[in-house]
Amino acid sequence: MDSILVEGGHELAGEIPIAGAKNACLTLMPATLLSDGPLTLTNAPRLSDIQTMTQLLQSLGTEVTQMQGGQVLSLSSHALTGTRADYDIVRKMRASILVLGPLLAREGRAEVSLPGGCAIGARPVDLHLSALEKLGAELDLRDGYVHATAPSGGLRGGIVDFPLVSVGATENVLMAATLARGTTEIRNAAREPEIVDLAECLRAMGARIEGEGTSTITVEGVEALSPATHRVVSDRIELGTYMLAPAICGGWVECIGGRMDLVAAFCEKLDAAGITIEETARGLKVSRHNGRVRAVDVATEPFPGFPTDLQAQMMALLCTADGVSRLEENIFENRFMHAPELMRMGARIDVQGGHATVTGVERLKGAPVMATDLRASVSLILAGLAAEGETIVNRVYHLDRGYERVEEKLGAVGARVSRVAGR
Ligand code: EPZ
């Protein structure tokens, strides 16, 4: 299992290209199931999760052609050969549940393994299922699978009123609604940029959607969808992660392709911490030169609030801030697993349930640490950039799920980061 070695204490200077969004691509790819025409995705990120989704779609009969080193994906589902998403794939990647809605809408049936939980929480899918039932789906849960069937005439439009905001459930029902007969209204819908990106892609395929990016999305079902080409939106979580690199160890980085509207709430907190952010013609330039960052309080919320996927990374910064910061994790029930690892590096963190109090220290100390999930992994690397001495982040297979060539991107701006095979 690979490890990442980080030698701390080096200021950064240079440009980091921001890739297409993993969490957009993982919902755009299943959209191919809705149409028998080709769907071409450009600006696709080169990540192991994308490979896993490719395998899943191929197991259903989708033809996937990767071009330009994986940055362009051509997907064609003109002749599906199956409607079953097996446990051995779904357990590796929870986003596999996003084939459920499209399969139901296109084929009238689906057998999708329940994803099970993961390190950060139980991650139930009850909201996905209840939303699809509102479109007429009949669901039978047995032997760890959802056995779903649509009415003989196909799914029909309905009113879906989510009791809490769910990105995945919004995506699943949005995709299913595009082929349902009649009108669907999705209330308390997720507003993330990945939802907007999905709606734009579906509209390019001929879907009739209004209101994406707001809490109410309306869909008029159509008979069939058509071929389309869509550019995957820039990854706001990768963007925020790399914006934190100069913030934590000094210097500057220009994140090419970064857009302020994707990370507005996050930028407000960086600004309050004393970090300089400048919008340039090519992206966002972030710099810090003078002294320690200021402590700030952070509470994660659905978009447009502070993203839960940047909480771990922000905690790494606040471990070195001048003062006490309070972090509140309101989306997932167990998303402070990076805290004990940061404490091995000398951080002072008190975790009480969904709250963490961080008392900043002058300097973290390098240490061997263990990654527990995707965002925790990169939070430990960020901490290593600022720490005295060497940090070894183990179990980085998590990292490769969500970050393209992290050691190359950081190395290109002066960080001393290297990958050690098979520790
Ligand atoms: C998406 O997960 C992202 N994953 C997550 O990113 C992200 O953290 C999350 O949205 C929140 O922004 C992808 O897009 C592939 P949710 P998702 O449904 O859709 C509860 C990363 O690091 N819930 O918005 O699974 C759930 O337990 C990953 O890239 C139910 O109770 O998140 C959570 O507490 C991690 N029932 C809350 O809602 C359901 O049926 C929000 O989850 C669904 C969700």
Side-chain angles (χ1 to χ4, degrees):
M1 212 173 287
D2 289 2
S3 301
I4 296 281
L5 227 50
V6 186
E7 183 191 295
H10 302 281
E11 284 214 350
L12 307 182
E15 298 177 354
I16 293 183
I18 301 302
K22 165 179 86 81
N23 290 349
C25 204
L26 289 175
T27 190
L28 292 166
M29 291 174 74
T32 176
L33 298 168
L34 293 164
S35 155
D36 57 10
L39 172 61
T40 302
L41 298 175
T42 62
N43 194 37
R46 288 160 289 190
L47 302 167
S48 55
D49 268 8
I50 303 306
Q51 297 311 323
T52 306
M53 181 60 82
T54 297
Q55 288 159 20
L56 171 57
L57 292 171
Q58 287 171 330
S59 76
L60 299 171
T62 299
E63 288 167 20
V64 182
T65 310
Q66 298 191 2
M67 293 168 277
Q68 293 178 30
Q71 274 202 305
V72 175
L73 302 175
S74 175
L75 305 112
S76 181
S77 306
H78 58 276
L80 292 181
T81 56
T83 58
R84 181 182 173 87
D86 271 340
Y87 176 58
D88 61 349
I89 288 190
V90 176
R91 68 179 170 78
K92 275 196 291 188
M93 188 187 62
R94 311 178 30 73
S96 309
I97 190 77
L98 294 173
V99 303
L100 178 59
L103 280 174
L104 257 181
R106 170 86 182 283
E107 298 291 291
R109 51 173 299 189
E111 300 80 43
V112 178
S113 168
L114 288 163
C118 77
I120 62 177
R123 311 287 299 272
V125 291
D126 56 312
L127 298 177
H128 297 241
L129 305 183
S130 56
L132 293 169
E133 285 177 321
K134 295 286 188 337
L135 303 191
E138 287 183 21
L139 306 174
D140 175 19
L141 296 193
R142 63 176 190 277
D143 56 41
Y145 281 73
V146 182
H147 297 267
T149 48
S152 53
L155 295 176
R156 55 178 186 273
I159 292 179
V160 176
D161 197 345
F162 283 119
L164 65 98
V165 173
S166 163
V167 172
T170 301
E171 291 164 344
N172 236 332
V173 75
L174 173 58
M175 288 190 280
T178 58
L179 296 179
R181 274 177 300 108
T183 304
T184 297
E185 188 172 286
I186 307 171
R187 297 173 184 166
N188 201 21
R191 300 170 54 191
E192 273 67 8
E194 293 74 36
I195 304 280
V196 172
D197 204 43
L198 174 61
E200 288 170 356
C201 176
L202 293 168
R203 193 176 291 120
M205 295 168 71
R208 294 169 58 194
I209 300 169
E210 283 179 8
E212 69 277 6
T214 75
S215 297
T216 303
I217 302 176
T218 306
V219 185
E220 292 296 333
V222 294
E223 277 298 309
L225 294 179
S226 316
T229 295
H230 177 79
R231 177 180 169 78
V232 179
V233 68
S234 178
D235 192 322
R236 63 194 171 98
I237 306 304
E238 187 193 33
L239 170 61
T241 301
Y242 287 126
M243 290 173 75
L244 280 166
I248 204 165
C249 65
W252 65 272
V253 167
E254 185 174 9
C255 296
I256 307 304
R259 283 175 24 199
M260 181 68 89
D261 64 308
L262 296 174
V263 285
F266 171 73
C267 287
E268 274 173 33
K269 292 298 177 183
L270 278 197
D271 179 55
I275 305 303
T276 306
I277 303 169
E278 184 194 338
E279 287 189 270
T280 66
R282 300 172 67 211
L284 296 180
K285 184 175 178 182
V286 183
S287 54
R288 175 173 79 87
H289 294 291
N290 47 354
R292 288 171 70 183
V293 297
R294 294 190 287 267
V296 293
D297 293 344
V298 171
T300 64
E301 293 164 2
F303 195 88
F306 190 100
T308 175
D309 291 350
L310 284 172
Q311 177 261 107
Q313 300 91 313
M314 189 70 180
M315 184 185 282
L317 175 70
L318 296 176
C319 287
T320 63
D322 181 6
V324 179
S325 307
R326 287 166 193 77
L327 290 98
E328 213 178 301
E329 173 52 62
N330 296 311
I331 307 296
F332 291 110
E333 63 266 32
N334 186 32
R335 203 168 197 179
F336 285 136
M337 287 172 298
H338 40 285
E341 298 305 305
L342 290 167
M343 289 159 79
R344 287 177 49 71
M345 300 175 70
R348 292 177 55 196
I349 307 169
D350 177 31
V351 173
Q352 301 292 335
H355 292 75
T357 303
V358 179
T359 305
V361 297
E362 280 275 352
R363 196 84 196 272
L364 295 172
K365 303 261 186 305
V369 287
M370 178 75 78
T372 49
D373 66 79
L374 167 57
R375 308 304 175 180
S377 313
V378 82
S379 141
L380 298 171
I381 290 178
L382 290 173
L385 293 179
E388 194 179 312
E390 191 175 80
T391 299
I392 304 169
V393 181
N394 295 303
R395 285 176 58 180
V396 291
Y397 61 88
H398 295 293
L399 201 64
D400 298 334
R401 294 188 53 180
Y403 290 90
E404 273 185 1
R405 313 181 323 279
V406 64
E407 65 275 15
E408 287 173 28
K409 290 194 174 184
L410 285 172
V413 295
R416 303 285 170 80
V417 182
S418 57
R419 180 178 291 256
V420 180
R423 277 221 178 187

